[in-house]
């Protein structure tokens, strides 16, 4: 995978796209599979970032709580003890799990694995710390 356009084409083919803009695409993941139960969902933002005005990167980000809903110390401790990919950041009023990768020479598995780990981890953190399914 060598370009943003290649990555976006792949994402459009493989995932449930809920928003598509020139430098950002949003995808919905569903979790849980009980036949008559409502499924949980997590929306992830995949965005193109240009570092130093020359190098394309892809950022994977998904909110899992509002700042006022959680104890940040507890959240950061949990992330430090359990996650192998991504980091927590504050974006506006949201706590977001985020990971970034350079696009140059990116193999698809180098994108898919972090995408699934970040999204799945955010879903678990949202359920654990808020008990809700808002994102």
């Amino acid at each position: 995978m060598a370009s943003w356009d290649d990555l976006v084409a792949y994402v459009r083919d493989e995932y449930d796209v809920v928003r598509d803009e020139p430098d950002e695409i949003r995808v919905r993941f569903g979790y849980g599979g009980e036949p008559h139960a409502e499924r949980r969902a997590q929306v992830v933002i995949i965005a193109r970032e240009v570092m130093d005005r020359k190098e394309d990167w892809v950022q994977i980000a998904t909110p899992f709580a509002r700042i006022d809903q959680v104890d940040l110390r507890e959240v950061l401790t949990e992330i430090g003890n359990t996650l192998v990919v991504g980091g927590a950041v504050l974006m506006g009023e949201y706590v977001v799990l985020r990971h970034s990768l350079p696009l140059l020479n990116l193999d698809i598995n180098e994108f898919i694995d972090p995408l699934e780990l970040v999204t799945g981890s955010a879903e678990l953190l949202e359920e654990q710390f808020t008990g809700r399914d808002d994102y």
Side-chain angles (χ1 to χ4, degrees):
M1 187 139 327
S3 73
W4 172 249
D5 291 338
D6 294 336
L7 180 63
V8 168
Y10 174 81
V11 169
R12 285 181 186 136
D13 286 343
E14 297 295 323
Y15 298 99
D16 177 17
V17 174
V18 295
R19 185 170 169 186
D20 193 342
E21 295 182 7
D23 287 331
E24 178 182 295
I25 191 165
R26 294 181 187 213
V27 176
R28 177 180 292 119
F29 282 78
Y31 293 94
E34 299 299 320
H36 300 290
E38 189 173 321
R39 293 184 70 186
R40 293 182 61 87
Q42 189 72 29
V43 174
V44 62
I45 302 155
I46 303 164
R48 177 178 178 237
E49 300 290 337
V50 180
M51 303 299 284
D52 298 328
R53 298 185 193 163
K54 60 183 176 182
E55 188 176 344
D56 282 345
W57 281 63
V58 60
Q59 183 181 102
I60 302 164
T62 183
F64 62 89
R66 292 175 57 93
I67 295 168
D68 61 359
Q69 289 179 307
V70 297
D71 179 322
L72 289 177
R73 184 177 191 83
E74 287 182 33
V75 169
L76 294 175
T77 300
E78 179 69 16
I79 289 170
N81 289 332
T82 60
L83 298 188
V84 297
V85 66
V89 299
L90 302 178
M91 296 179 82
E93 57 195 41
Y94 299 98
V95 185
V96 176
L97 200 57
R98 181 170 83 177
H99 188 73
S100 298
L101 305 156
L103 275 171
L104 185 64
N105 301 319
L106 181 70
D107 289 329
I108 195 61
N109 66 308
E110 295 171 325
F111 168 73
I112 294 170
D113 292 344
L115 174 67
E116 291 177 356
L117 283 169
V118 166
T119 307
S121 297
E123 175 61 24
L124 292 173
L125 290 166
E126 179 181 17
E127 187 173 25
Q128 177 180 348
F129 285 99
T130 72
R132 300 173 57 118
D133 187 27
D134 295 332
Y135 310 101

